[in-house]
Amino acid sequence: MILQPVLHPILLALLCAVPAFFVIRALVRGPQRGLWALRLGMIVVVFAMLLRPGIPGGTSQTLATDTDVVIVVDTTASIVAEDWAGDRPRIEGVRADVQAIVDEYPGARFALISFDAAAQLRLPLTTDATALMSSLDVMRPEVTDQSRGSSIGIANRMLADTLSAAAKASPERARMVFYLGDGEQTASREPESFASSAKYVDGGAVLGYGTTEGGPMKKTTGAGAAAGGYIEYQGAPAMSVIDEDNLRQVSEQLGVEYQPRSADAGIELPEAPSSTTDYAASGEVGNVIELYWISALGLIALLAVEVALATMSIVRLRGLSTPAPREKGATS
């Protein structure tokens, strides 16, 4: 058996010693010794539970990736165009591919940048992949009524700053960039270049979503898609189509490959740079079968006994305080 205490054992002992002192004193000097013995047992059970006893259950090898992965996602209205897997919003494909990226590079640090009319750093570099997927789950496209056109390169400065800061903080780590979008340039100006980020990029890909036939886009509010109602242009549903020329241009600027995406084709991700460690370097993680729940069940049982005793005492006291009924015909 092994112990994995939530705090240092000495600190746990000190924390439990204070209430134990008063309980023991009441047990020795006062009445209701059985009740105080019950409470002392609770303290002992809590102490055992906080020690987190367990049984070794073997070991499993882990693979760590010393790489920083920056994910840049298009959140313009076109990202919900319904031409993914038939008539599903493109954002579903984006989320599935980001999950595949997370699974491909275990142990990496991830950052998330979104862009529509402006770029936003939604998640700084972190090893918490759950936080990354949560950010994607709550991410919504820009509000339709507030849309004034967007540029596919609006995130260039934020991406360069994020990569530069990562390179200065951890120069030994590799850096990868994944750009996910449809390439539609709706701003009147020429798209900004990502060339300033290329010197920091060791790998990644530009992933393109959408079809040449295009897909209709539902109007969006601050809470997501409205019930029914599509964006219209000249009396007909506006169609968003993929612009692969723009996406290839972004891939050339970043120095990574371009890959068109569709629901019926699996994503092909590049190998992590050479900084990826192997299983031997990553070490092994021990699996432990937790036993603290046994103490928790014991604590619940002791609490149930005390509640039962307290209930019986209340019932008995109420019975004693109720006056006896006077006999019929008795005189005062």
Side-chain angles (χ1 to χ4, degrees), residues 12 25 75-76 89-90 114 118 140 167 184 237 242 276 286 292 315 325 329:
L12 287 178
R25 187 173 66 174
T75 52
T76 60
R90 294 172 186 169
S114 67
R140 297 291 182 266
E184 276 197 308
I242 188 172
T276 301
Y292 70 89
V315 172

Side-chain angles (χ1 to χ4, degrees), residues 165-209:
K168 291 179 180 178
S170 304
E172 74 285 357
R173 296 176 68 91
R175 288 162 295 280
M176 303 181 75
V177 173
F178 290 92
Y179 178 105
L180 296 82
D182 53 41
E184 276 197 308
Q185 176 76 10
T186 56
S188 58
R189 64 183 182 275
E190 287 294 316
E192 299 85 347
S193 173
F194 286 94
S196 59
S197 297
K199 60 184 177 182
Y200 303 111
V201 179
D202 299 304
V206 171
L207 306 177
Y209 301 83

Side-chain angles (χ1 to χ4, degrees), residues 214-232:
M217 300 165 284
K218 280 186 177 179
K219 294 179 181 179
T220 55
T221 65
Y230 286 84
I231 301 174
E232 293 187 354

Side-chain angles (χ1 to χ4, degrees), residues 78-94:
S78 62
I79 203 63
V80 292
E82 297 175 351
D83 58 359
W84 175 266
D87 59 355
R88 302 302 302 164
R90 294 172 186 169
I91 189 67
E92 293 187 7
V94 169

Side-chain angles (χ1 to χ4, degrees), residues 14 41 45 57 59 70 79 86 110 116 170 182 184 189-190 218 228 230 236 240 243 288 296-297 305 312:
L14 292 175
V45 170
T59 59
V70 183
I79 203 63
F110 297 94
D116 37 56
S170 304
D182 53 41
E184 276 197 308
R189 64 183 182 275
E190 287 294 316
K218 280 186 177 179
Y230 286 84
S240 170
D243 191 326
V288 177
L297 291 177
V305 171
M312 293 171 58

Side-chain angles (χ1 to χ4, degrees), residues 254-275:
L254 290 172
V256 298
E257 295 294 325
Y258 166 65
Q259 182 180 164
R261 295 291 300 119
S262 63
D264 57 359
I267 188 171
E268 297 179 5
L269 296 173
E271 292 185 2
S274 57
S275 62

